[in-house]
Amino acid sequence: MTEGFSEDMQIYLRSLPAVVDCTADRISYASWFRVEAVNRYRNGEGPTKIFRSRGLGPETIGHKRIERCMDRWKKLYGGKTIVSSATDSDTNITNQMDTTTLELQLDAMEAEIANMRATICEIKKRKLTQ
């Protein structure tokens, strides 16, 4: 998959409920799919089977992409319990992670926003002194 995704492949990938967006070299997955994938993996299913069940087999996106996603998501969710209230309807899939996970994510986002604000202030100060 070194050459990236063609326009047709991007259109196909964007049509999948598990995919939020796709560019020539990047796929953004729906949060419910990430949760589902980790839960299914913890229950003994292989990553390839999980991805293939949602139209994302290695013949489409490559083995390495599947392996890297699963590694990243396993680290993201760690040993935390993930509760999924997903229905199997591809048009109306919702998920709910435990409160602790959401609070940790919110804390991380707030810290990132604070850092961005500080950076903006520094840039404004530099412009004023020039």
Side-chain angles (χ1 to χ4, degrees):
M1 289 279 126
T2 57
E3 68 265 358
F5 300 115
S6 68
E7 283 294 321
D8 288 340
M9 183 58 72
Q10 290 177 52
I11 291 168
Y12 166 73
L13 290 169
R14 285 188 202 109
S15 74
L16 299 173
V19 175
V20 173
D21 195 18
C22 177
T23 64
D25 58 356
R26 179 170 232 137
I27 302 173
S28 298
Y29 299 94
S31 59
W32 65 263
F33 175 66
R34 294 190 305 260
V35 170
E36 175 185 286
V38 172
N39 282 336
R40 288 172 63 181
Y41 180 81
R42 287 179 181 167
N43 287 324
E45 281 187 68
T48 300
K49 182 177 179 182
I50 296 165
F51 275 71
R52 185 172 277 135
S53 73
R54 294 297 182 175
L56 297 160
E59 58 281 347
T60 306
I61 65 171
H63 286 284
K64 278 291 184 191
R65 191 178 301 269
I66 292 171
E67 291 173 14
R68 288 180 182 141
C69 286
M70 285 304 299
D71 285 343
R72 194 171 52 249
W73 299 341
K74 288 185 302 188
K75 288 175 188 169
L76 173 68
Y77 297 117
K80 301 173 187 126
T81 302
I82 307 169
V83 179
S84 175
S85 59
T87 66
D88 215 27
S89 165
D90 285 340
T91 56
N92 185 23
I93 297 178
T94 58
N95 284 292
Q96 178 184 2
M97 289 183 278
D98 65 49
T99 306
T100 305
T101 302
L102 293 173
E103 288 172 354
L104 290 171
Q105 288 178 343
L106 180 60
D107 289 344
M109 286 184 226
E110 287 173 342
E112 188 174 349
I113 290 169
N115 286 335
M116 288 178 187
R117 286 185 176 147
T119 301
I120 290 169
C121 286
E122 284 297 316
I123 292 169
K124 286 180 180 179
K125 286 179 187 176
R126 286 184 204 151
K127 284 184 178 182
L128 290 175
T129 59
Q130 291 178 349

